[in-house]
Amino acid sequence: MRALTLTQPWATMVASGIKRIENRDWRHDPKSMIGQRFAIHASREIDMETVEDIFIDKIYGADVPDLIIGERRSDPVVSARMLFPVSAIIGVATLERCIRKDDGRQSSIFAADAPLHGLPDDQHRWFFGPLGLVLTDIHPLIPIPCKGALSFWQVPDELEIQINQQLSEVTRNVEQSRTP
């Protein structure tokens, strides 16, 4: 299994399914990954400006939980690390297709349809290019600590076993919840 490293809080937004488009400035062609499941890895970095702007101000607003406020007063990075795991695999997704924004126009690559066709309207805001990885079949995981790398990278065998064990448990729980 391959993995892709994302900075927090973006990794959590992708692993939770809130954000189904991951933007890259790659020039190379990731079409070999289309249809492939990969692990979502949270880097050791946290984009604190994004945490403040999106999660604290826009999502919680005046209703910021006491735990976050208390930690923010003393050390905002500690608070962010409590909410957003770092240096860990935190989910899996499948690369459905890639879309590209060139010369101010959106154009689809590797797909015959319009770039954002089939995506809910709330997902369109996440694509700003130049390359958008459109994700599907997203499942969050209990964080599995590990170091990441740039671009798509190979997950060590022992970690892939842990990922697959968690996915098996998710599948089993879903099937049990469907049984009357």
Side-chain angles (χ1 to χ4, degrees):
M1 175 180 282
R2 312 274 315 241
L4 183 63
T5 300
L6 288 74
T7 303
Q8 285 288 28
W10 304 112
T12 292
M13 292 177 69
V14 169
S16 67
I18 293 170
K19 180 177 179 276
R20 291 185 40 209
I21 299 175
E22 172 57 21
N23 295 282
R24 296 284 148 166
D25 60 4
W26 297 340
R27 295 198 188 279
H28 73 278
D29 178 337
K31 71 181 176 185
S32 65
M33 288 296 296
I34 293 177
Q36 300 295 311
R37 175 177 274 168
F38 64 93
I40 300 163
H41 178 265
S43 75
R44 64 181 179 190
E45 306 276 327
I46 298 178
D47 178 350
M48 289 304 296
E49 184 176 330
T50 300
V51 169
E52 291 282 332
D53 289 349
I54 292 179
F55 286 90
I56 304 301
D57 298 335
K58 292 190 174 94
I59 292 178
Y60 290 115
D63 298 324
V64 177
D66 290 340
L67 173 66
I68 297 172
I69 291 173
E71 292 294 341
R72 280 180 73 205
R73 285 187 189 132
S74 61
D75 187 349
V77 174
V78 170
S79 177
R81 288 184 190 277
M82 291 173 65
L83 294 172
F84 307 109
V86 293
S87 298
I89 292 172
I90 62 169
V92 295
T94 299
L95 179 57
E96 178 182 278
R97 60 192 158 122
C98 299
I99 55 179
R100 191 174 289 281
K101 182 186 263 188
D102 292 312
D103 302 323
R105 299 182 323 269
Q106 291 182 3
S107 63
S108 180
I109 58 172
F110 320 130
D113 57 357
L116 300 173
H117 175 75
L119 284 172
D121 289 343
D122 71 337
Q123 291 299 308
H124 295 201
R125 66 183 169 176
W126 298 119
F127 178 51
F128 47 85
L131 176 68
L133 308 178
V134 179
L135 310 176
T136 188
D137 193 28
I138 300 167
H139 299 282
L141 300 173
I142 297 168
I144 302 169
C146 75
K147 292 182 180 180
L150 296 176
S151 196
F152 282 105
W153 50 276
Q154 189 63 44
V155 173
D157 292 341
E158 61 276 7
L159 297 182
E160 186 171 353
I161 290 168
Q162 292 179 49
I163 292 167
N164 289 328
Q165 286 172 339
Q166 285 195 44
L167 289 174
S168 293
E169 289 176 28
V170 168
T171 303
R172 193 170 34 254
N173 290 339
V174 168
E175 288 172 359
Q176 287 176 352
S177 68
R178 290 183 183 163
T179 306

Short mmCIF file of all heavy atoms in Angstrom, two decimals, residues 41-93:
data_model
loop_
_atom_site.label_atom_id
_atom_site.label_comp_id
_atom_site.label_asym_id
_atom_site.label_seq_id
_atom_site.Cartn_x
_atom_site.Cartn_y
_atom_site.Cartn_z
N HIS A 41 -1.49 10.01 5.57
CA HIS A 41 -0.50 10.20 6.62
C HIS A 41 -0.48 11.67 7.04
O HIS A 41 -0.41 12.56 6.19
CB HIS A 41 0.89 9.80 6.11
CG HIS A 41 1.97 10.01 7.12
ND1 HIS A 41 2.73 11.16 7.13
CD2 HIS A 41 2.40 9.25 8.15
CE1 HIS A 41 3.61 11.08 8.12
NE2 HIS A 41 3.42 9.94 8.75
N ALA A 42 -0.58 11.92 8.33
CA ALA A 42 -0.48 13.27 8.87
C ALA A 42 0.98 13.56 9.15
O ALA A 42 1.64 12.83 9.89
CB ALA A 42 -1.30 13.39 10.16
N SER A 43 1.49 14.62 8.55
CA SER A 43 2.89 14.98 8.75
C SER A 43 3.13 15.43 10.18
O SER A 43 2.19 15.56 10.97
CB SER A 43 3.29 16.11 7.78
OG SER A 43 2.76 17.34 8.22
N ARG A 44 4.35 15.73 10.50
CA ARG A 44 4.67 16.22 11.85
C ARG A 44 4.36 17.71 11.98
O ARG A 44 4.46 18.28 13.06
CB ARG A 44 6.13 15.94 12.19
CG ARG A 44 7.09 16.66 11.32
CD ARG A 44 8.51 16.33 11.67
NE ARG A 44 9.38 17.07 10.76
CZ ARG A 44 10.65 16.88 10.65
NH1 ARG A 44 11.24 15.98 11.40
NH2 ARG A 44 11.36 17.57 9.80
N GLU A 45 4.01 18.33 10.86
CA GLU A 45 3.72 19.77 10.82
C GLU A 45 2.23 20.04 11.05
O GLU A 45 1.38 19.29 10.59
CB GLU A 45 4.10 20.34 9.46
CG GLU A 45 5.51 20.06 9.03
CD GLU A 45 6.49 21.05 9.60
OE1 GLU A 45 6.13 22.21 9.77
OE2 GLU A 45 7.63 20.63 9.87
N ILE A 46 1.94 21.13 11.74
CA ILE A 46 0.58 21.62 11.89
C ILE A 46 0.56 23.06 11.38
O ILE A 46 1.34 23.89 11.83
CB ILE A 46 0.11 21.58 13.36
CG1 ILE A 46 0.09 20.14 13.87
CG2 ILE A 46 -1.27 22.21 13.49
CD1 ILE A 46 -0.32 20.02 15.33
N ASP A 47 -0.34 23.33 10.46
CA ASP A 47 -0.52 24.68 9.93
C ASP A 47 -1.40 25.42 10.94
O ASP A 47 -2.62 25.38 10.87
CB ASP A 47 -1.18 24.61 8.56
CG ASP A 47 -1.46 25.96 7.95
OD1 ASP A 47 -1.33 26.99 8.65
OD2 ASP A 47 -1.82 26.00 6.76
N MET A 48 -0.76 26.09 11.90
CA MET A 48 -1.49 26.73 12.99
C MET A 48 -2.40 27.86 12.50
O MET A 48 -3.45 28.10 13.08
CB MET A 48 -0.53 27.24 14.06
CG MET A 48 0.13 26.12 14.86
SD MET A 48 -1.07 25.02 15.66
CE MET A 48 -1.86 26.16 16.78
N GLU A 49 -2.01 28.54 11.44
CA GLU A 49 -2.86 29.60 10.90
C GLU A 49 -4.20 29.01 10.42
O GLU A 49 -5.26 29.56 10.68
CB GLU A 49 -2.16 30.32 9.75
CG GLU A 49 -2.95 31.48 9.21
CD GLU A 49 -2.17 32.24 8.15
OE1 GLU A 49 -0.94 32.29 8.19
OE2 GLU A 49 -2.85 32.80 7.27
N THR A 50 -4.13 27.88 9.75
CA THR A 50 -5.35 27.22 9.30
C THR A 50 -6.17 26.70 10.48
O THR A 50 -7.39 26.82 10.49
CB THR A 50 -5.03 26.06 8.34
OG1 THR A 50 -4.33 26.60 7.21
CG2 THR A 50 -6.28 25.35 7.86
N VAL A 51 -5.50 26.16 11.48
CA VAL A 51 -6.21 25.69 12.68
C VAL A 51 -6.98 26.86 13.30
O VAL A 51 -8.16 26.74 13.61
CB VAL A 51 -5.24 25.07 13.71
CG1 VAL A 51 -5.93 24.83 15.04
CG2 VAL A 51 -4.67 23.76 13.17
N GLU A 52 -6.30 27.98 13.45
CA GLU A 52 -6.96 29.16 14.04
C GLU A 52 -8.10 29.65 13.17
O GLU A 52 -9.21 29.85 13.65
CB GLU A 52 -5.94 30.29 14.25
CG GLU A 52 -4.93 30.02 15.32
CD GLU A 52 -5.48 30.23 16.72
OE1 GLU A 52 -6.41 31.03 16.89
OE2 GLU A 52 -4.99 29.57 17.64
N ASP A 53 -7.83 29.85 11.88
CA ASP A 53 -8.82 30.44 10.97
C ASP A 53 -10.03 29.54 10.75
O ASP A 53 -11.17 29.98 10.83
CB ASP A 53 -8.20 30.76 9.61
CG ASP A 53 -7.26 31.93 9.67
OD1 ASP A 53 -7.23 32.62 10.70
OD2 ASP A 53 -6.53 32.15 8.69
N ILE A 54 -9.77 28.28 10.44
CA ILE A 54 -10.88 27.40 10.08
C ILE A 54 -11.50 26.74 11.29
O ILE A 54 -12.71 26.81 11.50
CB ILE A 54 -10.42 26.34 9.07
CG1 ILE A 54 -10.09 27.01 7.74
CG2 ILE A 54 -11.49 25.27 8.87
CD1 ILE A 54 -9.62 26.09 6.66
N PHE A 55 -10.69 26.09 12.10
CA PHE A 55 -11.28 25.28 13.16
C PHE A 55 -11.70 26.08 14.38
O PHE A 55 -12.77 25.87 14.92
CB PHE A 55 -10.32 24.15 13.56
CG PHE A 55 -10.29 23.09 12.52
CD1 PHE A 55 -9.39 23.15 11.48
CD2 PHE A 55 -11.20 22.06 12.55
CE1 PHE A 55 -9.39 22.20 10.49
CE2 PHE A 55 -11.21 21.11 11.56
CZ PHE A 55 -10.30 21.18 10.53
N ILE A 56 -10.88 26.99 14.81
CA ILE A 56 -11.22 27.74 16.01
C ILE A 56 -12.25 28.82 15.69
O ILE A 56 -13.33 28.86 16.26
CB ILE A 56 -9.96 28.35 16.66
CG1 ILE A 56 -8.92 27.26 16.95
CG2 ILE A 56 -10.33 29.13 17.90
CD1 ILE A 56 -9.38 26.14 17.87
N ASP A 57 -11.94 29.69 14.75
CA ASP A 57 -12.81 30.83 14.48
C ASP A 57 -14.08 30.47 13.72
O ASP A 57 -15.17 30.87 14.10
CB ASP A 57 -12.03 31.91 13.72
CG ASP A 57 -10.86 32.45 14.52
OD1 ASP A 57 -10.93 32.37 15.77
OD2 ASP A 57 -9.90 32.93 13.92
N LYS A 58 -13.95 29.71 12.62
CA LYS A 58 -15.12 29.48 11.77
C LYS A 58 -15.99 28.32 12.24
O LYS A 58 -17.21 28.37 12.10
CB LYS A 58 -14.67 29.24 10.34
CG LYS A 58 -14.09 30.51 9.72
CD LYS A 58 -13.86 30.37 8.25
CE LYS A 58 -13.44 31.68 7.65
NZ LYS A 58 -12.05 31.90 7.54
N ILE A 59 -15.40 27.26 12.75
CA ILE A 59 -16.21 26.11 13.16
C ILE A 59 -16.75 26.30 14.57
O ILE A 59 -17.94 26.20 14.81
CB ILE A 59 -15.42 24.79 13.03
CG1 ILE A 59 -15.18 24.51 11.55
CG2 ILE A 59 -16.18 23.65 13.69
CD1 ILE A 59 -14.38 23.28 11.27
N TYR A 60 -15.86 26.60 15.52
CA TYR A 60 -16.32 26.72 16.91
C TYR A 60 -16.83 28.12 17.24
O TYR A 60 -17.75 28.28 18.01
CB TYR A 60 -15.19 26.35 17.88
CG TYR A 60 -14.86 24.88 17.86
CD1 TYR A 60 -13.62 24.44 17.42
CD2 TYR A 60 -15.77 23.94 18.30
CE1 TYR A 60 -13.30 23.09 17.42
CE2 TYR A 60 -15.47 22.60 18.29
CZ TYR A 60 -14.23 22.17 17.85
OH TYR A 60 -13.93 20.85 17.84
N GLY A 61 -16.19 29.14 16.68
CA GLY A 61 -16.59 30.51 16.99
C GLY A 61 -16.57 30.75 18.48
O GLY A 61 -15.61 30.42 19.17
N ALA A 62 -17.65 31.31 19.00
CA ALA A 62 -17.75 31.60 20.43
C ALA A 62 -17.92 30.34 21.26
O ALA A 62 -17.78 30.37 22.48
CB ALA A 62 -18.91 32.56 20.68
N ASP A 63 -18.23 29.22 20.61
CA ASP A 63 -18.48 27.97 21.32
C ASP A 63 -17.26 27.06 21.38
O ASP A 63 -17.39 25.84 21.40
CB ASP A 63 -19.64 27.21 20.66
CG ASP A 63 -20.93 28.00 20.70
OD1 ASP A 63 -21.16 28.69 21.71
OD2 ASP A 63 -21.69 27.94 19.72
N VAL A 64 -16.07 27.63 21.40
CA VAL A 64 -14.86 26.83 21.48
C VAL A 64 -14.90 26.03 22.79
O VAL A 64 -15.11 26.60 23.86
CB VAL A 64 -13.59 27.71 21.45
CG1 VAL A 64 -12.34 26.88 21.62
CG2 VAL A 64 -13.53 28.51 20.17
N PRO A 65 -14.72 24.70 22.69
CA PRO A 65 -14.74 23.89 23.93
C PRO A 65 -13.70 24.38 24.94
O PRO A 65 -12.62 24.83 24.57
CB PRO A 65 -14.39 22.49 23.43
CG PRO A 65 -14.80 22.50 21.98
CD PRO A 65 -14.56 23.90 21.50
N ASP A 66 -14.04 24.28 26.22
CA ASP A 66 -13.15 24.73 27.29
C ASP A 66 -11.77 24.11 27.19
O ASP A 66 -10.77 24.77 27.44
CB ASP A 66 -13.75 24.41 28.67
CG ASP A 66 -14.96 25.28 28.96
OD1 ASP A 66 -15.11 26.34 28.32
OD2 ASP A 66 -15.76 24.90 29.82
N LEU A 67 -11.72 22.83 26.81
CA LEU A 67 -10.43 22.15 26.71
C LEU A 67 -9.53 22.88 25.72
O LEU A 67 -8.36 23.12 25.98
CB LEU A 67 -10.64 20.69 26.26
CG LEU A 67 -9.37 19.90 25.94
CD1 LEU A 67 -8.54 19.72 27.21
CD2 LEU A 67 -9.72 18.56 25.34
N ILE A 68 -10.10 23.27 24.58
CA ILE A 68 -9.30 23.95 23.56
C ILE A 68 -8.90 25.34 24.03
O ILE A 68 -7.76 25.74 23.90
CB ILE A 68 -10.09 24.05 22.23
CG1 ILE A 68 -10.35 22.64 21.69
CG2 ILE A 68 -9.33 24.88 21.21
CD1 ILE A 68 -11.28 22.60 20.51
N ILE A 69 -9.83 26.06 24.62
CA ILE A 69 -9.52 27.41 25.11
C ILE A 69 -8.41 27.35 26.15
O ILE A 69 -7.45 28.10 26.09
CB ILE A 69 -10.77 28.09 25.70
CG1 ILE A 69 -11.76 28.40 24.58
CG2 ILE A 69 -10.38 29.37 26.43
CD1 ILE A 69 -13.08 28.92 25.07
N GLY A 70 -8.53 26.43 27.08
CA GLY A 70 -7.52 26.30 28.13
C GLY A 70 -6.15 26.02 27.55
O GLY A 70 -5.16 26.65 27.93
N GLU A 71 -6.10 25.09 26.61
CA GLU A 71 -4.81 24.77 26.00
C GLU A 71 -4.31 25.90 25.12
O GLU A 71 -3.14 26.17 25.05
CB GLU A 71 -4.93 23.47 25.18
CG GLU A 71 -5.17 22.23 26.00
CD GLU A 71 -4.00 21.90 26.90
OE1 GLU A 71 -2.88 22.37 26.66
OE2 GLU A 71 -4.22 21.15 27.87
N ARG A 72 -5.22 26.58 24.42
CA ARG A 72 -4.80 27.69 23.55
C ARG A 72 -4.12 28.78 24.36
O ARG A 72 -3.18 29.39 23.91
CB ARG A 72 -6.01 28.28 22.82
CG ARG A 72 -6.43 27.48 21.61
CD ARG A 72 -7.61 28.11 20.94
NE ARG A 72 -7.21 29.31 20.24
CZ ARG A 72 -8.03 30.31 19.97
NH1 ARG A 72 -9.29 30.26 20.35
NH2 ARG A 72 -7.63 31.36 19.31
N ARG A 73 -4.62 29.03 25.55
CA ARG A 73 -4.03 30.09 26.36
C ARG A 73 -2.58 29.79 26.70
O ARG A 73 -1.73 30.66 26.71
CB ARG A 73 -4.83 30.27 27.64
CG ARG A 73 -6.14 30.97 27.41
CD ARG A 73 -6.83 31.28 28.72
NE ARG A 73 -8.16 31.76 28.46
CZ ARG A 73 -9.24 31.32 29.07
NH1 ARG A 73 -9.16 30.40 29.99
NH2 ARG A 73 -10.42 31.80 28.75
N SER A 74 -2.29 28.52 27.02
CA SER A 74 -0.93 28.19 27.43
C SER A 74 -0.04 27.84 26.25
O SER A 74 1.08 28.29 26.17
CB SER A 74 -0.95 27.04 28.44
OG SER A 74 -1.52 25.90 27.83
N ASP A 75 -0.54 27.02 25.32
CA ASP A 75 0.27 26.58 24.20
C ASP A 75 -0.63 26.10 23.07
O ASP A 75 -1.14 24.99 23.12
CB ASP A 75 1.22 25.47 24.64
CG ASP A 75 2.21 25.10 23.55
OD1 ASP A 75 2.05 25.55 22.40
OD2 ASP A 75 3.16 24.36 23.85
N PRO A 76 -0.83 26.91 22.05
CA PRO A 76 -1.74 26.52 20.97
C PRO A 76 -1.29 25.27 20.22
O PRO A 76 -2.11 24.52 19.73
CB PRO A 76 -1.76 27.74 20.04
CG PRO A 76 -0.60 28.57 20.42
CD PRO A 76 -0.27 28.24 21.85
N VAL A 77 0.00 25.01 20.16
CA VAL A 77 0.48 23.82 19.47
C VAL A 77 0.08 22.56 20.23
O VAL A 77 -0.33 21.56 19.64
CB VAL A 77 2.00 23.88 19.22
CG1 VAL A 77 2.51 22.58 18.63
CG2 VAL A 77 2.34 25.06 18.33
N VAL A 78 0.14 22.59 21.55
CA VAL A 78 -0.29 21.44 22.36
C VAL A 78 -1.76 21.17 22.09
O VAL A 78 -2.17 20.03 21.89
CB VAL A 78 -0.04 21.70 23.86
CG1 VAL A 78 -0.71 20.63 24.70
CG2 VAL A 78 1.45 21.74 24.14
N SER A 79 -2.57 22.22 22.06
CA SER A 79 -3.99 22.07 21.79
C SER A 79 -4.22 21.45 20.42
O SER A 79 -5.01 20.53 20.26
CB SER A 79 -4.68 23.43 21.86
OG SER A 79 -6.03 23.31 21.53
N ALA A 80 -3.52 21.94 19.41
CA ALA A 80 -3.68 21.42 18.06
C ALA A 80 -3.26 19.97 17.98
O ALA A 80 -3.91 19.16 17.31
CB ALA A 80 -2.88 22.27 17.08
N ARG A 81 -2.20 19.59 18.67
CA ARG A 81 -1.76 18.19 18.65
C ARG A 81 -2.78 17.27 19.31
O ARG A 81 -2.87 16.10 18.98
CB ARG A 81 -0.38 18.06 19.29
CG ARG A 81 0.72 18.62 18.43
CD ARG A 81 2.09 18.40 19.02
NE ARG A 81 3.10 19.14 18.30
CZ ARG A 81 3.68 18.73 17.18
NH1 ARG A 81 3.35 17.59 16.65
NH2 ARG A 81 4.59 19.47 16.59
N MET A 82 -3.55 17.81 20.25
CA MET A 82 -4.60 17.00 20.87
C MET A 82 -5.72 16.74 19.88
O MET A 82 -6.33 15.67 19.88
CB MET A 82 -5.14 17.71 22.11
CG MET A 82 -4.14 17.77 23.25
SD MET A 82 -4.72 18.79 24.62
CE MET A 82 -6.14 17.87 25.15
N LEU A 83 -6.01 17.71 19.04
CA LEU A 83 -7.09 17.57 18.06
C LEU A 83 -6.66 16.90 16.77
O LEU A 83 -7.45 16.21 16.13
CB LEU A 83 -7.64 18.96 17.70
CG LEU A 83 -8.35 19.72 18.80
CD1 LEU A 83 -8.65 21.14 18.36
CD2 LEU A 83 -9.63 19.00 19.19
N PHE A 84 -5.41 17.12 16.38
CA PHE A 84 -4.92 16.65 15.10
C PHE A 84 -3.66 15.82 15.28
O PHE A 84 -2.58 16.37 15.49
CB PHE A 84 -4.63 17.84 14.18
CG PHE A 84 -5.80 18.78 14.05
CD1 PHE A 84 -5.77 20.03 14.64
CD2 PHE A 84 -6.93 18.40 13.35
CE1 PHE A 84 -6.84 20.90 14.52
CE2 PHE A 84 -8.01 19.25 13.23
CZ PHE A 84 -7.97 20.50 13.82
N PRO A 85 -3.76 14.49 15.17
CA PRO A 85 -2.57 13.65 15.33
C PRO A 85 -1.51 13.98 14.29
O PRO A 85 -1.84 14.39 13.17
CB PRO A 85 -3.10 12.23 15.09
CG PRO A 85 -4.58 12.33 14.98
CD PRO A 85 -4.95 13.75 14.83
N VAL A 86 -0.27 13.83 14.67
CA VAL A 86 0.85 14.09 13.76
C VAL A 86 1.73 12.87 13.67
O VAL A 86 1.70 11.99 14.53
CB VAL A 86 1.67 15.33 14.22
CG1 VAL A 86 0.85 16.60 14.10
CG2 VAL A 86 2.20 15.16 15.62
N SER A 87 2.51 12.81 12.59
CA SER A 87 3.43 11.70 12.34
C SER A 87 2.73 10.35 12.48
O SER A 87 3.20 9.46 13.17
CB SER A 87 4.65 11.77 13.26
OG SER A 87 5.38 12.95 13.01
N ALA A 88 1.58 10.22 11.80
CA ALA A 88 0.80 9.00 11.91
C ALA A 88 -0.08 8.80 10.69
O ALA A 88 -0.50 9.77 10.05
CB ALA A 88 -0.07 9.03 13.16
N ILE A 89 -0.38 7.56 10.39
CA ILE A 89 -1.39 7.24 9.39
C ILE A 89 -2.72 7.35 10.10
O ILE A 89 -2.93 6.74 11.15
CB ILE A 89 -1.16 5.83 8.81
CG1 ILE A 89 0.13 5.84 7.98
CG2 ILE A 89 -2.36 5.38 7.97
CD1 ILE A 89 0.59 4.49 7.51
N ILE A 90 -3.63 8.16 9.52
CA ILE A 90 -4.89 8.43 10.21
C ILE A 90 -6.12 8.05 9.39
O ILE A 90 -7.25 8.25 9.84
CB ILE A 90 -4.99 9.90 10.63
CG1 ILE A 90 -4.97 10.83 9.42
CG2 ILE A 90 -3.86 10.25 11.61
CD1 ILE A 90 -5.34 12.26 9.76
N GLY A 91 -5.92 7.50 8.20
CA GLY A 91 -7.06 7.11 7.38
C GLY A 91 -6.61 6.48 6.08
O GLY A 91 -5.41 6.34 5.82
N VAL A 92 -7.61 6.09 5.30
CA VAL A 92 -7.36 5.57 3.96
C VAL A 92 -8.38 6.18 3.01
O VAL A 92 -9.46 6.61 3.43
CB VAL A 92 -7.44 4.02 3.87
CG1 VAL A 92 -6.34 3.37 4.68
CG2 VAL A 92 -8.80 3.52 4.29
N ALA A 93 -8.02 6.22 1.74
CA ALA A 93 -8.92 6.72 0.70
C ALA A 93 -8.53 6.04 -0.61
O ALA A 93 -7.45 5.47 -0.72
CB ALA A 93 -8.81 8.24 0.57
#
